[in-house]
């Protein structure tokens, strides 16, 4: 290869070096764990709050019944409704049930409702704390009211939406 071709090849290659370096650093930054994420383990019936790779809180949860399983996979938490009302979903299991106002004792959603797979799947406080640890819901993740409110505050403090992984 002539000196001139070698010089042209080197000049053509030089801009690629920073692109490779900065591109790989950017890729590594994207791959890093977010500052906060949630991991639900349906078989263990727990919800873990992970911050910077460490478990900072573990909550007991109730999960969906076999006939109405909780979805698994990767999600992001969404809107947070404080002191939510409950409107029966358009499903056969709910056809004879009625609306419950916020805070009403018969309202199955107590304290807070955290969306993760709209329109029908949420993390929420429950009016049946004895169901925690059981497969008792229609697909939602239930927590005690106090735990759900605490979790919602953690999510808000982390920016309002965090990754949620639900494992079988």
């Amino acid at each position: 290869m002539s000196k001139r071709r070698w010089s042209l090849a080197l000049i053509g290659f030089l801009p690629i070096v920073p692109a490779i370096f900065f591109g790989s650093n950017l890729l590594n930054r994207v791959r890093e764990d977010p500052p906060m994420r949630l991991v639900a383990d349906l078989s263990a019936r727990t919800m873990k709050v992970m911050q910077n790779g460490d478990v900072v809180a573990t909550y007991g949860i109730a999960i969906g019944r076999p006939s109405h399983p909780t979805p698994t996979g990767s999600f992001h938490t969404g809107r947070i409704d404080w002191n939510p009302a409950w409107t029966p979903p358009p499903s056969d299991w709910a056809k004879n049930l009625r609306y419950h106002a916020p805070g009403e004792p018969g309202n199955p959603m107590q304290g807070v409702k955290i969306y993760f797979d709209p329109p029908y799947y949420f993390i929420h406080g429950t009016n049946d704390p004895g169901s925690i640890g059981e497969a008792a819901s229609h697909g939602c993740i239930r927590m005690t009211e106090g735990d759900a409110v605490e979790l919602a505050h953690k999510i808000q403090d982390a920016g309002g939406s965090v990754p949620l992984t639900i494992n079988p």
Side-chain angles (χ1 to χ4, degrees), residues 28-77:
N28 286 339
R29 276 185 246 141
V30 169
R31 286 185 190 162
E32 288 178 11
D33 281 341
M36 181 179 155
R37 63 188 175 92
L38 307 176
V39 179
D41 183 332
L42 300 183
S43 61
R45 310 241 165 89
T46 60
M47 172 79 72
K48 291 182 180 177
V49 178
M50 311 287 294
Q51 287 186 320
N52 300 313
D54 296 324
V55 177
V56 296
T58 302
Y59 301 105
I61 60 174
I63 64 170
R65 302 170 184 178
S67 58
H68 300 282
T70 301
T72 58
S74 297
F75 305 90
H76 267 79
T77 62

Side-chain angles (χ1 to χ4, degrees), residues 62 65 81 83-89 93-94 97-114 120 122-132 136-146 148:
R65 302 170 184 178
D81 289 343
N83 197 24
W86 184 75
T87 301
W93 67 264
L97 300 177
R98 67 173 185 82
Y99 168 88
H100 289 281
E104 194 175 298
N107 182 339
M109 294 189 187
Q110 296 292 311
V112 68
K113 174 170 67 172
I114 305 162
Y120 303 117
F122 320 102
I123 301 166
H124 63 84
T126 182
N127 64 346
D128 184 11
S131 69
I132 303 304
S137 78
H138 288 93
C140 288
I141 294 175
R142 292 181 186 174
M143 302 175 76
T144 64
E145 182 176 356

